[in-house]
Amino acid sequence: MPSPMLGEFMQIMARAHLVIKTLAASPEGLTPRQLGERVELPPTTLHRLLGELQHQGFVSRQMGGARCYLGPAALDVGLGALRPAVLASTGAVRAVTELADRFGERTILVEMRASRAVLAFGTGPEHWSGPYAGAKGIVPFRTAAAARVLLLDMEDVEVGRLLADQDPGPDGTVAFDSVQDLVQQLKVVRRRGFEIAHEEWGPESWEIAAPVRNGAGRVIAGLAVLTQRSRLPCRRANRIKAEAILTAHAIAVELGYGGPPPRSATVPAREAEQPPKTSRTLRPGPSVPGRQSAHPS
């Protein structure tokens, strides 16, 4: 970039940063006039800058009024940088542990790190090693509900780009034949607010996963319970599902999420006891030395 253009770009960045910092220090909000006086910018310059920052989500405007507030994108950046510390300092680990102890099932917390779903914390018996035995704790999006809920805020194009260059899983197992199939499933998950998966990591496996949102309303983690259908009469499935969703919401509230509580619902008997009939197929890939295949032939 030529020096004059670079200088102009850096000036715009500096102004945007000043506006964001000023709004962050004013939780009660500021009118454009008040904001202009504090940042010492001409009205026309401030108007253009606020329009772009609002478009990008860094500034929110009062509905029916003129006051400006710090937007969700700015909150997301700050909370994202502190994510491991935030989760560790809250009751997230304690809540996951209590959920695992309550039902005696494997319970995990998965986070997005560098475009990968990574196991942040797990406890309880491991009935299925499944995605939680992957190298470096990586949980594959295509074959784990806990990882898929991390994609709920992404546009379909973003999901496609994210999955284009990623391996299906540590042993090549594929739960979705294509990215398009996974994108269609995400629409179902967004509508009902949670994901239920069957036999993605071995016969008789069952998984319930719910998103954990931060103060900006963005999904930053997935909480999941993994068990076997043989251990899962319908009433128990409903209890596990309800408790998992409520636990994920409780963690989100502690992170500052102010959204509505999850809808109470039950798991239909067919979801609890039988895998759904969809276009998904489980195709075992080449086995990894020293590890038993997730799908015996």
Side-chain angles (χ1 to χ4, degrees), residues 87 93 108-111 113 117-122 137 139 221:
L87 286 176
V93 171
I108 66 168
L109 202 60
V110 173
E111 291 183 322
R113 298 178 187 172
V118 178
L119 178 63
F121 177 74
V139 185

Side-chain angles (χ1 to χ4, degrees), residues 54-134:
Q54 183 177 0
H55 177 70
Q56 297 296 330
F58 286 93
V59 170
S60 295
R61 301 295 291 268
Q62 182 183 34
M63 293 186 63
R67 302 185 78 82
C68 302
Y69 302 86
L70 191 67
L75 294 173
D76 200 29
V77 169
L79 291 173
L82 297 173
R83 184 179 304 160
V86 167
L87 286 176
S89 65
T90 65
V93 171
R94 182 183 68 252
V96 171
T97 301
E98 290 176 352
L99 184 62
D101 292 343
R102 188 173 307 138
F103 293 104
E105 304 292 358
R106 181 69 173 167
T107 307
I108 66 168
L109 202 60
V110 173
E111 291 183 322
M112 184 82 82
R113 298 178 187 172
S115 300
R116 295 290 191 275
V118 178
L119 178 63
F121 177 74
T123 186
E126 297 189 42
H127 299 300
W128 305 99
S129 58
Y132 321 124

Side-chain angles (χ1 to χ4, degrees), residues 29-290:
L30 297 170
T31 65
R33 181 176 178 178
Q34 291 171 328
L35 182 59
E37 291 174 350
R38 297 193 186 190
V39 300
E40 297 181 352
L41 289 177
T44 54
T45 301
L46 181 60
H47 178 76
R48 289 196 302 269
L49 186 58
L50 284 176
E52 183 59 30
L53 288 174
Q54 183 177 0
H55 177 70
Q56 297 296 330
F58 286 93
V59 170
S60 295
R61 301 295 291 268
Q62 182 183 34
M63 293 186 63
R67 302 185 78 82
C68 302
Y69 302 86
L70 191 67
L75 294 173
D76 200 29
V77 169
L79 291 173
L82 297 173
R83 184 179 304 160
V86 167
L87 286 176
S89 65
T90 65
V93 171
R94 182 183 68 252
V96 171
T97 301
E98 290 176 352
L99 184 62
D101 292 343
R102 188 173 307 138
F103 293 104
E105 304 292 358
R106 181 69 173 167
T107 307
I108 66 168
L109 202 60
V110 173
E111 291 183 322
M112 184 82 82
R113 298 178 187 172
S115 300
R116 295 290 191 275
V118 178
L119 178 63
F121 177 74
T123 186
E126 297 189 42
H127 299 300
W128 305 99
S129 58
Y132 321 124
K136 300 180 181 179
I138 294 176
V139 185
F141 294 107
R142 296 174 188 261
T143 48
R148 283 198 296 279
V149 296
L150 296 177
L151 307 177
L152 294 183
D153 292 336
M154 291 187 181
E155 298 291 339
D156 294 351
V157 174
E158 292 181 89
V159 174
R161 282 199 297 260
L162 180 67
L163 300 181
D165 61 347
Q166 296 192 8
D167 295 330
D171 66 354
T173 303
V174 176
F176 288 85
D177 286 329
S178 67
V179 173
Q180 287 72 25
D181 287 342
L182 192 150
V183 166
Q184 290 301 314
Q185 180 64 14
L186 287 177
K187 294 179 181 179
V188 176
V189 180
R190 292 187 188 104
R191 185 172 65 250
R192 65 186 182 185
F194 60 90
E195 170 72 308
I196 290 181
H198 299 263
E199 297 191 348
E200 290 189 349
W201 286 93
E204 296 295 313
S205 69
W206 185 87
E207 183 182 4
I208 169 73
V212 175
R213 298 183 181 274
N214 64 12
R218 303 290 182 89
V219 176
I220 64 166
L223 184 150
V225 178
L226 181 67
T227 185
Q228 300 163 287
R229 289 210 312 276
S230 60
R231 296 166 52 86
L232 205 67
C234 190
R235 181 177 298 178
R236 178 177 170 83
N238 285 324
R239 287 182 55 212
I240 291 176
K241 170 197 169 268
E243 290 294 328
I245 294 173
L246 289 174
T247 299
H249 180 71
I251 296 172
V253 169
E254 194 164 355
L255 293 174
Y257 177 60
R263 295 172 297 176
S264 62
T266 58
V267 180
R270 63 180 181 276
E271 287 195 9
E273 299 169 3
Q274 296 179 0
K277 295 180 180 179
T278 68
S279 61
R280 286 182 287 171
T281 58
L282 293 171
R283 298 187 284 105
S287 60
V288 176

